[in-house]
PDB file of all heavy atoms in Angstrom:
ATOM      1  N   ILE Y  72      84.040  89.475  94.006  1.00 72.00           N
ATOM      2  CA  ILE Y  72      83.510  89.079  95.301  1.00 72.00           C
ATOM      3  C   ILE Y  72      81.999  89.030  95.173  1.00 72.00           C
ATOM      4  O   ILE Y  72      81.370  89.988  94.726  1.00 72.00           O
ATOM      5  CB  ILE Y  72      83.929  90.064  96.405  1.00 72.00           C
ATOM      6  CG1 ILE Y  72      85.424  89.903  96.706  1.00 72.00           C
ATOM      7  CG2 ILE Y  72      83.115  89.840  97.669  1.00 72.00           C
ATOM      8  CD1 ILE Y  72      85.935  90.886  97.715  1.00 72.00           C
ATOM      9  N   THR Y  73      81.392  87.905  95.563  1.00 71.00           N
ATOM     10  CA  THR Y  73      79.953  87.735  95.500  1.00 71.00           C
ATOM     11  C   THR Y  73      79.364  87.948  96.886  1.00 71.00           C
ATOM     12  O   THR Y  73      79.767  87.298  97.843  1.00 71.00           O
ATOM     13  CB  THR Y  73      79.590  86.332  94.985  1.00 71.00           C
ATOM     14  OG1 THR Y  73      80.140  86.157  93.674  1.00 71.00           O
ATOM     15  CG2 THR Y  73      78.081  86.155  94.913  1.00 71.00           C
ATOM     16  N   ILE Y  74      78.387  88.871  96.978  1.00 67.00           N
ATOM     17  CA  ILE Y  74      77.767  89.206  98.256  1.00 67.00           C
ATOM     18  C   ILE Y  74      76.313  88.751  98.209  1.00 67.00           C
ATOM     19  O   ILE Y  74      75.487  89.354  97.524  1.00 67.00           O
ATOM     20  CB  ILE Y  74      77.844  90.717  98.529  1.00 67.00           C
ATOM     21  CG1 ILE Y  74      79.296  91.199  98.442  1.00 67.00           C
ATOM     22  CG2 ILE Y  74      77.238  91.048  99.891  1.00 67.00           C
ATOM     23  CD1 ILE Y  74      79.430  92.701  98.465  1.00 67.00           C
ATOM     24  N   PRO Y  75      75.958  87.666  98.932  1.00 64.00           N
ATOM     25  CA  PRO Y  75      74.558  87.216  98.935  1.00 64.00           C
ATOM     26  C   PRO Y  75      73.660  88.280  99.550  1.00 64.00           C
ATOM     27  O   PRO Y  75      74.057  89.015 100.456  1.00 64.00           O
ATOM     28  CB  PRO Y  75      74.601  85.951  99.811  1.00 64.00           C
ATOM     29  CG  PRO Y  75      76.038  85.533  99.812  1.00 64.00           C
ATOM     30  CD  PRO Y  75      76.831  86.805  99.710  1.00 64.00           C
ATOM     31  N   THR Y  76      72.410  88.381  99.064  1.00 60.00           N
ATOM     32  CA  THR Y  76      71.467  89.371  99.572  1.00 60.00           C
ATOM     33  C   THR Y  76      70.233  88.687 100.136  1.00 60.00           C
ATOM     34  O   THR Y  76      69.961  87.521  99.854  1.00 60.00           O
ATOM     35  CB  THR Y  76      71.038  90.345  98.458  1.00 60.00           C
ATOM     36  OG1 THR Y  76      70.462  89.595  97.389  1.00 60.00           O
ATOM     37  CG2 THR Y  76      72.236  91.120  97.931  1.00 60.00           C
ATOM     38  N   ALA Y  77      69.498  89.431 100.904  1.00 56.00           N
ATOM     39  CA  ALA Y  77      68.333  88.872 101.578  1.00 56.00           C
ATOM     40  C   ALA Y  77      67.082  88.974 100.710  1.00 56.00           C
ATOM     41  O   ALA Y  77      67.016  89.745  99.764  1.00 56.00           O
ATOM     42  CB  ALA Y  77      68.097  89.593 102.898  1.00 56.00           C
ATOM     43  N   LEU Y  78      66.058  88.200 101.066  1.00 50.00           N
ATOM     44  CA  LEU Y  78      64.771  88.237 100.387  1.00 50.00           C
ATOM     45  C   LEU Y  78      63.836  89.234 101.078  1.00 50.00           C
ATOM     46  O   LEU Y  78      64.021  89.568 102.243  1.00 50.00           O
ATOM     47  CB  LEU Y  78      64.128  86.846 100.408  1.00 50.00           C
ATOM     48  CG  LEU Y  78      64.847  85.734  99.641  1.00 50.00           C
ATOM     49  CD1 LEU Y  78      64.213  84.398  99.996  1.00 50.00           C
ATOM     50  CD2 LEU Y  78      64.774  85.965  98.154  1.00 50.00           C
ATOM     51  N   GLY Y  79      62.830  89.669 100.338  1.00 50.00           N
ATOM     52  CA  GLY Y  79      61.740  90.394 100.947  1.00 50.00           C
ATOM     53  C   GLY Y  79      61.912  91.886 101.086  1.00 50.00           C
ATOM     54  O   GLY Y  79      61.108  92.529 101.760  1.00 50.00           O
ATOM     55  N   GLU Y  80      62.890  92.505 100.485  1.00 48.00           N
ATOM     56  CA  GLU Y  80      63.050  93.941 100.565  1.00 48.00           C
ATOM     57  C   GLU Y  80      62.021  94.629  99.665  1.00 48.00           C
ATOM     58  O   GLU Y  80      61.784  94.200  98.538  1.00 48.00           O
ATOM     59  CB  GLU Y  80      64.459  94.357 100.127  1.00 48.00           C
ATOM     60  CG  GLU Y  80      65.550  93.850 101.040  1.00 48.00           C
ATOM     61  CD  GLU Y  80      66.925  94.254 100.532  1.00 48.00           C
ATOM     62  OE1 GLU Y  80      67.096  94.292  99.304  1.00 48.00           O
ATOM     63  OE2 GLU Y  80      67.804  94.520 101.364  1.00 48.00           O
ATOM     64  N   SER Y  81      61.392  95.686 100.178  1.00 65.00           N
ATOM     65  CA  SER Y  81      60.470  96.442  99.353  1.00 65.00           C
ATOM     66  C   SER Y  81      61.174  97.597  98.666  1.00 65.00           C
ATOM     67  O   SER Y  81      60.871  97.939  97.541  1.00 65.00           O
ATOM     68  CB  SER Y  81      59.296  96.953 100.200  1.00 65.00           C
ATOM     69  OG  SER Y  81      59.778  97.733 101.280  1.00 65.00           O
ATOM     70  N   HIS Y  82      62.102  98.262  99.373  1.00 76.00           N
ATOM     71  CA  HIS Y  82      62.958  99.264  98.751  1.00 76.00           C
ATOM     72  C   HIS Y  82      64.225  99.363  99.574  1.00 76.00           C
ATOM     73  O   HIS Y  82      64.173  99.681 100.758  1.00 76.00           O
ATOM     74  CB  HIS Y  82      62.270 100.626  98.679  1.00 76.00           C
ATOM     75  CG  HIS Y  82      63.072 101.643  97.930  1.00 76.00           C
ATOM     76  ND1 HIS Y  82      62.861 102.999  98.018  1.00 76.00           N
ATOM     77  CD2 HIS Y  82      64.115 101.480  97.056  1.00 76.00           C
ATOM     78  CE1 HIS Y  82      63.719 103.647  97.250  1.00 76.00           C
ATOM     79  NE2 HIS Y  82      64.486 102.740  96.662  1.00 76.00           N
ATOM     80  N   GLY Y  83      65.334  99.091  98.958  1.00 81.00           N
ATOM     81  CA  GLY Y  83      66.602  99.129  99.674  1.00 81.00           C
ATOM     82  C   GLY Y  83      67.712  99.690  98.823  1.00 81.00           C
ATOM     83  O   GLY Y  83      67.701  99.570  97.598  1.00 81.00           O
ATOM     84  N   ASN Y  84      68.644 100.337  99.476  1.00 87.00           N
ATOM     85  CA  ASN Y  84      69.829 100.872  98.808  1.00 87.00           C
ATOM     86  C   ASN Y  84      71.044 100.493  99.636  1.00 87.00           C
ATOM     87  O   ASN Y  84      71.036 100.633 100.860  1.00 87.00           O
ATOM     88  CB  ASN Y  84      69.725 102.389  98.668  1.00 87.00           C
ATOM     89  CG  ASN Y  84      70.895 102.977  97.897  1.00 87.00           C
ATOM     90  OD1 ASN Y  84      71.871 103.415  98.480  1.00 87.00           O
ATOM     91  ND2 ASN Y  84      70.775 102.976  96.577  1.00 87.00           N
ATOM     92  N   SER Y  85      72.077 100.001  98.970  1.00 89.00           N
ATOM     93  CA  SER Y  85      73.249  99.496  99.693  1.00 89.00           C
ATOM     94  C   SER Y  85      74.537  99.980  99.046  1.00 89.00           C
ATOM     95  O   SER Y  85      74.614 100.140  97.820  1.00 89.00           O
ATOM     96  CB  SER Y  85      73.255  97.957  99.708  1.00 89.00           C
ATOM     97  OG  SER Y  85      72.058  97.448 100.264  1.00 89.00           O
ATOM     98  N   ASP Y  86      75.550 100.207  99.876  1.00 92.00           N
ATOM     99  CA  ASP Y  86      76.897 100.513  99.429  1.00 92.00           C
ATOM    100  C   ASP Y  86      77.827  99.421  99.937  1.00 92.00           C
ATOM    101  O   ASP Y  86      77.694  98.961 101.074  1.00 92.00           O
ATOM    102  CB  ASP Y  86      77.369 101.869  99.972  1.00 92.00           C
ATOM    103  CG  ASP Y  86      76.581 103.025  99.386  1.00 92.00           C
ATOM    104  OD1 ASP Y  86      76.481 103.105  98.160  1.00 92.00           O
ATOM    105  OD2 ASP Y  86      76.064 103.850 100.179  1.00 92.00           O
ATOM    106  N   TYR Y  87      78.779  99.034  99.076  1.00 91.00           N
ATOM    107  CA  TYR Y  87      79.758  98.027  99.445  1.00 91.00           C
ATOM    108  C   TYR Y  87      81.156  98.540  99.101  1.00 91.00           C
ATOM    109  O   TYR Y  87      81.397  98.973  97.979  1.00 91.00           O
ATOM    110  CB  TYR Y  87      79.509  96.708  98.703  1.00 91.00           C
ATOM    111  CG  TYR Y  87      78.127  96.130  98.921  1.00 91.00           C
ATOM    112  CD1 TYR Y  87      77.105  96.378  98.005  1.00 91.00           C
ATOM    113  CD2 TYR Y  87      77.842  95.352 100.034  1.00 91.00           C
ATOM    114  CE1 TYR Y  87      75.838  95.864  98.198  1.00 91.00           C
ATOM    115  CE2 TYR Y  87      76.573  94.831 100.234  1.00 91.00           C
ATOM    116  CZ  TYR Y  87      75.571  95.083  99.316  1.00 91.00           C
ATOM    117  OH  TYR Y  87      74.323  94.570  99.516  1.00 91.00           O
ATOM    118  N   ILE Y  88      82.044  98.491 100.067  1.00 93.00           N
ATOM    119  CA  ILE Y  88      83.438  98.870  99.853  1.00 93.00           C
ATOM    120  C   ILE Y  88      84.312  97.677 100.236  1.00 93.00           C
ATOM    121  O   ILE Y  88      84.224  97.169 101.354  1.00 93.00           O
ATOM    122  CB  ILE Y  88      83.827 100.105 100.684  1.00 93.00           C
ATOM    123  CG1 ILE Y  88      82.962 101.311 100.297  1.00 93.00           C
ATOM    124  CG2 ILE Y  88      85.301 100.436 100.488  1.00 93.00           C
ATOM    125  CD1 ILE Y  88      83.209 102.531 101.149  1.00 93.00           C
ATOM    126  N   VAL Y  89      85.131  97.237  99.296  1.00 92.00           N
ATOM    127  CA  VAL Y  89      85.996  96.074  99.524  1.00 92.00           C
ATOM    128  C   VAL Y  89      87.449  96.512  99.447  1.00 92.00           C
ATOM    129  O   VAL Y  89      87.893  97.055  98.432  1.00 92.00           O
ATOM    130  CB  VAL Y  89      85.729  94.966  98.476  1.00 92.00           C
ATOM    131  CG1 VAL Y  89      86.653  93.780  98.736  1.00 92.00           C
ATOM    132  CG2 VAL Y  89      84.276  94.533  98.518  1.00 92.00           C
ATOM    133  N   SER Y  90      88.188  96.291 100.513  1.00 95.00           N
ATOM    134  CA  SER Y  90      89.624  96.560 100.522  1.00 95.00           C
ATOM    135  C   SER Y  90      90.360  95.225 100.427  1.00 95.00           C
ATOM    136  O   SER Y  90      90.006  94.257 101.100  1.00 95.00           O
ATOM    137  CB  SER Y  90      90.036  97.303 101.794  1.00 95.00           C
ATOM    138  OG  SER Y  90      89.615  96.605 102.956  1.00 95.00           O
ATOM    139  N   THR Y  91      91.363  95.179  99.564  1.00 95.00           N
ATOM    140  CA  THR Y  91      92.092  93.935  99.297  1.00 95.00           C
ATOM    141  C   THR Y  91      93.578  94.145  99.475  1.00 95.00           C
ATOM    142  O   THR Y  91      94.143  95.132  99.000  1.00 95.00           O
ATOM    143  CB  THR Y  91      91.807  93.440  97.868  1.00 95.00           C
ATOM    144  OG1 THR Y  91      90.404  93.241  97.703  1.00 95.00           O
ATOM    145  CG2 THR Y  91      92.531  92.118  97.599  1.00 95.00           C
ATOM    146  N   LEU Y  92      94.211  93.224 100.161  1.00 95.00           N
ATOM    147  CA  LEU Y  92      95.657  93.235 100.355  1.00 95.00           C
ATOM    148  C   LEU Y  92      96.234  91.942  99.816  1.00 95.00           C
ATOM    149  O   LEU Y  92      95.771  90.856 100.162  1.00 95.00           O
ATOM    150  CB  LEU Y  92      95.992  93.384 101.843  1.00 95.00           C
ATOM    151  CG  LEU Y  92      97.483  93.397 102.214  1.00 95.00           C
ATOM    152  CD1 LEU Y  92      98.162  94.639 101.629  1.00 95.00           C
ATOM    153  CD2 LEU Y  92      97.652  93.364 103.725  1.00 95.00           C
ATOM    154  N   GLY Y  93      97.220  92.038  98.922  1.00 95.00           N
ATOM    155  CA  GLY Y  93      97.819  90.850  98.320  1.00 95.00           C
ATOM    156  C   GLY Y  93      99.332  90.885  98.385  1.00 95.00           C
ATOM    157  O   GLY Y  93      99.952  91.951  98.472  1.00 95.00           O
ATOM    158  N   LEU Y  94      99.931  89.714  98.341  1.00 95.00           N
ATOM    159  CA  LEU Y  94     101.386  89.582  98.356  1.00 95.00           C
ATOM    160  C   LEU Y  94     101.802  88.583  97.289  1.00 95.00           C
ATOM    161  O   LEU Y  94     101.234  87.498  97.193  1.00 95.00           O
ATOM    162  CB  LEU Y  94     101.868  89.102  99.732  1.00 95.00           C
ATOM    163  CG  LEU Y  94     103.387  89.013  99.928  1.00 95.00           C
ATOM    164  CD1 LEU Y  94     104.006  90.409  99.866  1.00 95.00           C
ATOM    165  CD2 LEU Y  94     103.722  88.338 101.251  1.00 95.00           C
ATOM    166  N   ARG Y  95     102.783  88.969  96.458  1.00 95.00           N
ATOM    167  CA  ARG Y  95     103.277  88.102  95.391  1.00 95.00           C
ATOM    168  C   ARG Y  95     104.749  87.785  95.611  1.00 95.00           C
ATOM    169  O   ARG Y  95     105.508  88.616  96.118  1.00 95.00           O
ATOM    170  CB  ARG Y  95     103.084  88.766  94.032  1.00 95.00           C
ATOM    171  CG  ARG Y  95     101.642  88.986  93.658  1.00 95.00           C
ATOM    172  CD  ARG Y  95     101.502  89.521  92.249  1.00 95.00           C
ATOM    173  NE  ARG Y  95     101.878  90.922  92.151  1.00 95.00           N
ATOM    174  CZ  ARG Y  95     102.488  91.469  91.110  1.00 95.00           C
ATOM    175  NH1 ARG Y  95     102.835  90.727  90.083  1.00 95.00           N
ATOM    176  NH2 ARG Y  95     102.759  92.757  91.089  1.00 95.00           N
TER     177      ARG Y  95
END
Side-chain angles (χ1 to χ4, degrees):
I72 288 176
T73 300
I74 305 170
T76 58
L78 295 169
E80 295 178 325
S81 57
H82 185 198
N84 184 265
S85 304
D86 293 308
Y87 303 96
I88 299 175
V89 179
S90 54
T91 302
L92 179 65
L94 184 66
R95 296 186 286 144

